[in-house]
Amino acid sequence: MRFKTGAGVAALAIALGFTPALAQTTSPERRPAAATEAPKTPITGQILAQDASTVLAKDLIGQTVYAPDKTKIGSISDLILSKDGKSVEGFVIGVGGFLGIGEKSVALKLDRLQVGQTPEGTMQLTMDAKKDELANAPTFKSKRDQDAEKRAAERPAQPTRPSTN
Protein backbone atom coordinates (compact mmCIF):
# COMPACT_ATOMS: atom_id res chain seq x y z
CA MET A 1 0.00 0.00 0.00
CA ARG A 2 1.39 3.44 -0.97
CA PHE A 3 0.32 6.85 0.23
CA LYS A 4 1.04 9.85 -1.95
CA THR A 5 0.48 12.48 0.72
CA GLY A 6 1.79 13.07 4.17
CA ALA A 7 -1.83 13.15 5.39
CA GLY A 8 -2.31 9.51 4.37
CA VAL A 9 0.78 8.46 6.32
CA ALA A 10 -0.39 10.48 9.33
CA ALA A 11 -3.86 8.88 9.18
CA LEU A 12 -2.31 5.41 9.08
CA ALA A 13 -0.03 6.26 12.00
CA ILE A 14 -2.98 7.49 14.08
CA ALA A 15 -5.07 4.43 13.17
CA LEU A 16 -2.25 2.16 14.35
CA GLY A 17 -1.80 4.12 17.55
CA PHE A 18 1.50 5.78 16.69
CA THR A 19 1.15 9.19 18.29
CA PRO A 20 4.45 9.83 20.06
CA ALA A 21 4.45 13.54 19.34
CA LEU A 22 1.09 14.06 21.03
CA ALA A 23 2.06 12.05 24.09
CA GLN A 24 5.14 14.21 24.66
CA THR A 25 3.42 17.60 24.37
CA THR A 26 1.55 17.45 27.69
CA SER A 27 3.79 17.97 30.69
CA PRO A 28 2.67 16.94 34.19
CA GLU A 29 2.28 20.62 35.14
CA ARG A 30 -0.19 21.24 32.27
CA ARG A 31 -2.50 18.29 32.87
CA PRO A 32 -6.07 19.31 33.69
CA ALA A 33 -7.34 18.76 37.23
CA ALA A 34 -9.95 16.26 35.92
CA ALA A 35 -7.13 13.80 35.17
CA THR A 36 -6.81 12.91 38.89
CA GLU A 37 -8.89 9.87 39.76
CA ALA A 38 -11.68 9.92 42.31
CA PRO A 39 -11.37 7.39 45.15
CA LYS A 40 -12.77 3.97 44.29
CA THR A 41 -15.86 2.77 46.14
CA PRO A 42 -16.32 -0.99 46.66
CA ILE A 43 -19.66 -2.47 45.62
CA THR A 44 -21.77 -4.86 47.68
CA GLY A 45 -20.31 -8.36 47.67
CA GLN A 46 -16.96 -7.30 46.21
CA ILE A 47 -13.85 -9.08 47.47
CA LEU A 48 -10.93 -6.67 47.64
CA ALA A 49 -8.19 -9.14 48.56
CA GLN A 50 -7.86 -12.90 48.64
CA ASP A 51 -8.20 -14.35 52.12
CA ALA A 52 -5.36 -16.56 53.33
CA SER A 53 -7.81 -19.45 53.81
CA THR A 54 -8.88 -19.49 50.13
CA VAL A 55 -7.38 -20.89 46.93
CA LEU A 56 -7.87 -19.62 43.38
CA ALA A 57 -9.09 -22.12 40.78
CA LYS A 58 -6.10 -21.31 38.56
CA ASP A 59 -3.83 -22.41 41.43
CA LEU A 60 -5.56 -25.82 41.57
CA ILE A 61 -5.90 -26.52 37.85
CA GLY A 62 -2.72 -28.14 36.62
CA GLN A 63 -1.58 -28.96 40.14
CA THR A 64 -0.25 -32.49 40.72
CA VAL A 65 -2.12 -34.71 43.19
CA TYR A 66 -0.19 -37.27 45.24
CA ALA A 67 -1.17 -40.47 47.04
CA PRO A 68 -0.39 -40.81 50.76
CA ASP A 69 2.81 -42.68 49.86
CA LYS A 70 3.93 -39.60 47.83
CA THR A 71 3.49 -41.25 44.41
CA LYS A 72 2.08 -39.00 41.73
CA ILE A 73 -1.56 -39.77 40.87
CA GLY A 74 -2.25 -37.16 38.21
CA SER A 75 -3.05 -33.49 37.67
CA ILE A 76 -6.26 -31.54 38.20
CA SER A 77 -7.69 -30.59 34.82
CA ASP A 78 -10.96 -28.94 35.87
CA LEU A 79 -13.31 -28.09 38.70
CA ILE A 80 -17.01 -28.96 38.84
CA LEU A 81 -19.20 -26.10 40.08
CA SER A 82 -22.82 -26.22 41.18
CA LYS A 83 -25.16 -24.81 38.54
CA ASP A 84 -25.84 -21.74 40.69
CA GLY A 85 -22.08 -21.20 40.93
CA LYS A 86 -22.13 -21.04 44.71
CA SER A 87 -20.08 -24.12 45.47
CA VAL A 88 -17.36 -26.35 44.10
CA GLU A 89 -18.78 -29.86 43.88
CA GLY A 90 -15.71 -31.73 42.72
CA PHE A 91 -12.56 -31.87 40.66
CA VAL A 92 -11.48 -33.69 37.53
CA ILE A 93 -8.10 -35.39 37.56
CA GLY A 94 -6.22 -36.77 34.57
CA VAL A 95 -4.75 -40.20 35.31
CA GLY A 96 -2.76 -42.74 33.38
CA GLY A 97 -1.15 -42.25 30.04
CA PHE A 98 2.19 -40.75 29.21
CA LEU A 99 2.71 -37.09 28.29
CA GLY A 100 -1.05 -36.67 27.98
CA ILE A 101 -1.49 -39.58 25.57
CA GLY A 102 -3.82 -42.28 26.85
CA GLU A 103 -4.79 -40.16 29.86
CA LYS A 104 -8.36 -40.38 31.08
CA SER A 105 -10.38 -38.08 33.29
CA VAL A 106 -11.84 -39.18 36.60
CA ALA A 107 -14.02 -36.87 38.70
CA LEU A 108 -14.23 -36.98 42.47
CA LYS A 109 -16.04 -35.06 45.18
CA LEU A 110 -13.99 -32.19 46.56
CA ASP A 111 -13.88 -33.69 50.06
CA ARG A 112 -11.54 -36.41 48.70
CA LEU A 113 -8.83 -33.79 48.17
CA GLN A 114 -6.58 -32.65 51.00
CA VAL A 115 -4.74 -29.36 50.63
CA GLY A 116 -1.49 -29.13 52.56
CA GLN A 117 1.93 -27.56 52.33
CA THR A 118 5.37 -28.84 51.53
CA PRO A 119 8.21 -28.07 53.95
CA GLU A 120 9.13 -25.23 51.54
CA GLY A 121 5.68 -23.67 52.01
CA THR A 122 4.18 -24.46 48.59
CA MET A 123 0.73 -26.01 48.19
CA GLN A 124 0.61 -29.79 48.01
CA LEU A 125 -2.50 -31.79 47.08
CA THR A 126 -3.01 -35.34 48.30
CA MET A 127 -5.86 -37.81 48.34
CA ASP A 128 -6.54 -41.15 49.96
CA ALA A 129 -6.60 -43.10 46.70
CA LYS A 130 -3.95 -44.85 44.68
CA LYS A 131 -3.17 -44.27 41.04
CA ASP A 132 -4.21 -47.85 40.16
CA GLU A 133 -7.65 -47.33 41.73
CA LEU A 134 -8.26 -44.24 39.63
CA ALA A 135 -6.84 -45.84 36.48
CA ASN A 136 -9.42 -48.64 36.91
CA ALA A 137 -12.31 -46.25 37.70
CA PRO A 138 -14.88 -45.28 35.03
CA THR A 139 -14.04 -42.26 32.87
CA PHE A 140 -15.75 -38.96 33.71
CA LYS A 141 -18.26 -37.73 31.12
CA SER A 142 -18.93 -34.02 31.09
CA LYS A 143 -22.33 -32.64 30.07
CA ARG A 144 -20.79 -31.77 26.70
CA ASP A 145 -19.58 -35.38 26.26
CA GLN A 146 -23.00 -36.77 27.20
CA ASP A 147 -24.79 -34.42 24.78
CA ALA A 148 -22.41 -35.37 21.96
CA GLU A 149 -23.01 -39.09 22.59
CA LYS A 150 -26.76 -38.51 22.62
CA ARG A 151 -26.63 -36.61 19.30
CA ALA A 152 -24.47 -39.35 17.76
CA ALA A 153 -26.92 -42.04 18.88
CA GLU A 154 -29.90 -40.11 17.46
CA ARG A 155 -28.23 -39.54 14.10
CA PRO A 156 -29.46 -41.97 11.43
CA ALA A 157 -26.85 -44.44 10.32
CA GLN A 158 -25.23 -43.60 6.98
CA PRO A 159 -25.74 -46.33 4.38
CA THR A 160 -22.50 -47.94 3.35
CA ARG A 161 -21.49 -47.74 -0.28
CA PRO A 162 -20.81 -50.99 -2.09
CA SER A 163 -17.21 -51.62 -2.91
CA THR A 164 -16.17 -51.09 -6.54
CA ASN A 165 -13.53 -53.83 -6.45
Side-chain angles (χ1 to χ4, degrees):
M1 173 187 331
R2 272 197 170 171
F3 291 103
K4 294 183 180 181
T5 65
V9 173
L12 178 62
I14 290 170
L16 295 175
F18 297 119
T19 56
L22 293 176
Q24 295 173 358
T25 59
T26 307
S27 67
E29 299 84 34
R30 294 185 186 169
R31 287 193 181 127
T36 59
E37 289 188 31
K40 304 287 187 216
T41 306
I43 62 169
T44 303
Q46 182 178 358
I47 298 171
L48 297 176
Q50 181 180 356
D51 187 83
S53 65
T54 63
V55 177
L56 297 176
K58 71 178 186 175
D59 293 335
L60 285 177
I61 295 174
Q63 191 71 257
T64 300
V65 179
Y66 296 92
D69 64 359
K70 307 291 185 216
T71 59
K72 179 181 173 182
I73 295 175
S75 299
I76 294 181
S77 61
D78 215 339
L79 298 176
I80 302 171
L81 305 178
S82 63
K83 204 165 196 169
D84 63 6
K86 293 187 178 186
S87 64
V88 179
E89 298 293 318
F91 63 100
V92 180
I93 184 170
V95 295
F98 181 72
L99 298 175
I101 299 171
E103 181 179 273
K104 74 174 189 174
S105 295
V106 177
L108 297 155
K109 294 283 188 182
L110 195 60
D111 63 0
R112 296 289 308 267
L113 190 66
Q114 290 88 42
V115 180
Q117 286 191 343
T118 64
E120 297 81 31
T122 60
M123 182 172 44
Q124 183 172 19
L125 304 177
T126 58
M127 59 181 302
D128 60 348
K130 294 182 179 175
K131 187 173 186 171
D132 293 344
E133 291 178 278
L134 294 178
N136 292 320
T139 300
F140 171 70
K141 292 183 185 179
S142 69
K143 180 78 169 104
R144 181 181 294 166
D145 295 337
Q146 294 172 50
D147 291 345
E149 285 179 2
K150 185 177 177 182
R151 283 191 302 277
E154 293 171 350
R155 204 174 300 139
Q158 297 290 338
T160 57
R161 294 182 185 169
S163 176
T164 57
N165 293 354

